Amino acid sequence: QVQLVESGGGSVQAGGSLRLSCAASGYPVRRNYMAWFRQAPRKEREGVAAISTVSGRTSYADSVKGRFTISQDNAKNTLYLQMNSLNPEDTAMYYCAAGTLNVLNDVFQPSQYNYWGQGTQVTVSS
């Protein structure tokens, strides 16, 4: 049973920073991609950042490039999302996800991911 548990969310003022963590356990087979998604009220879930757990290659949504950094600690089975220069538009529930993708898959398509955490809320005030 794969489990993903997010932590690190909270409330910050615009311009502040947060670091999200996602602890993974129970992998029967190693997944080759992990990602962070977010969902704001009345909006669709959107991909924020993704990383190949094999190569370390990263991908970012245009809206967070230069501000967010995804990273992994394979020894701890933990995924991170460092978020800097936060603005109110970043307010959302943030989810981590794991899946097995190939080079033709869209890394920001939620349906590509089999496993999801319960989410952690990020609120940015102006």
Side-chain angles (χ1 to χ4, degrees):
Q1 183 74 16
V2 175
Q3 284 192 316
L4 302 175
V5 180
E6 302 98 334
S7 61
S11 297
V12 296
Q13 290 192 328
S17 299
L18 284 173
R19 189 176 82 153
L20 306 183
S21 299
C22 173
S25 63
Y27 274 175
V29 175
R30 188 175 180 83
R31 299 296 185 262
N32 67 349
Y33 261 90
M34 294 193 74
W36 289 97
F37 288 78
R38 67 186 181 187
Q39 188 166 19
R42 298 175 297 280
K43 291 189 177 181
E44 291 187 354
R45 189 168 296 192
E46 63 171 349
V48 174
I51 187 168
S52 164
T53 62
V54 177
S55 69
R57 179 177 179 177
T58 57
S59 301
Y60 295 94
D62 288 343
S63 59
V64 306
K65 279 181 182 176
R67 301 189 298 121
F68 290 12
T69 303
I70 188 171
S71 61
Q72 59 184 350
D73 185 332
N74 288 336
K76 295 182 179 179
N77 283 333
T78 301
L79 181 73
Y80 302 99
L81 185 68
Q82 178 66 44
M83 304 186 296
N84 299 328
S85 301
L86 286 161
N87 59 61
E89 290 69 39
D90 296 316
T91 295
M93 185 73 78
Y94 283 71
Y95 301 89
C96 73
T100 302
L101 280 69
N102 62 48
V103 295
L104 298 179
N105 293 142
D106 178 359
V107 299
F108 291 144
Q109 174 56 251
S111 63
Q112 299 294 338
Y113 294 85
N114 308 98
Y115 300 99
W116 293 83
Q118 82 289 348
T120 186
Q121 178 68 38
V122 171
T123 303
V124 185
S125 58
S126 56

